[in-house]
Amino acid sequence: MSEVKYNTNQRRLILDFLEENSGRHVTADDALFALKARGCPVGKATIYRFFDKLAKEGKLLKYSAVDGAGACYEYNAGHAKCSGHYHLKCDGCGALLHLECSSVAKLYEHMRGEHGFQVDNRQTVFYGKCSACVEREDV
């Protein structure tokens, strides 16, 4: 019985972290280090298992990474899906940014209308450099 309570306490700590970071994209490592810094260490496998459970329930949106990088997540709490906007991933600092742009929406509409292909904007990420990283390179 104490093992179930322990698991529930760990899940509550992870959920608290996600709620505090609502609207941001976080990784399992972000949760791991934040909880450890608070004196509440939780195993990485526990975090991943709980993240996967929340993603299946629609409470956490998962953005798969490429080239071996870890996935990042966005707390959703069962509210509206991450739709209506697109995502930009900075190769420099790793930031995942939301983009609301009618020009990109037109591209998606073109792919659907002209090519019969519906793009899932929750799984589509444009890679490049954010303005701050571009400025650092120009210096």
Side-chain angles (χ1 to χ4, degrees):
M1 186 74 152
S2 64
E3 185 174 297
V4 173
K5 185 176 185 335
Y6 177 72
N7 190 22
T8 301
N9 288 339
Q10 288 184 328
R11 287 181 174 199
R12 181 73 246 166
L13 292 169
I14 296 167
L15 194 55
D16 288 346
F17 167 80
L18 292 170
E19 288 171 349
E20 291 164 10
N21 288 281
S22 183
R24 290 188 54 232
H25 298 96
V26 297
T27 65
D29 283 339
D30 292 336
L32 181 76
F33 297 132
L35 295 173
K36 185 176 181 179
R38 295 177 191 170
C40 306
V42 176
K44 194 171 191 174
T46 299
I47 293 169
Y48 273 115
R49 279 193 303 272
F50 192 48
F51 276 17
D52 284 341
K53 178 185 183 308
L54 292 174
K56 286 177 185 167
E57 294 173 356
K59 295 178 182 174
L60 195 63
L61 302 172
K62 180 178 181 178
Y63 301 97
S64 300
V66 295
D67 299 331
C72 64
Y73 302 84
E74 182 179 9
Y75 185 60
N76 194 39
H79 301 300
K81 294 286 184 194
C82 191
S83 62
H85 64 260
Y86 310 94
H87 299 93
L88 306 173
K89 175 76 171 173
C90 180
D91 294 327
C93 66
L96 184 66
L97 309 167
H98 288 228
L99 172 69
E100 294 188 30
C101 177
S102 61
S103 295
V104 176
K106 288 176 187 173
L107 173 64
Y108 278 50
E109 290 168 15
H110 169 80
M111 285 190 242
R112 185 173 185 171
E114 295 296 318
H115 305 285
F117 190 81
Q118 185 170 340
V119 177
D120 181 354
N121 66 325
R122 294 171 297 153
Q123 298 296 321
T124 304
V125 180
F126 296 96
Y127 292 86
K129 298 266 171 113
C130 71
S131 59
C133 288
V134 169
E135 281 183 32
R136 277 194 292 274
E137 289 179 354
D138 288 343
V139 175

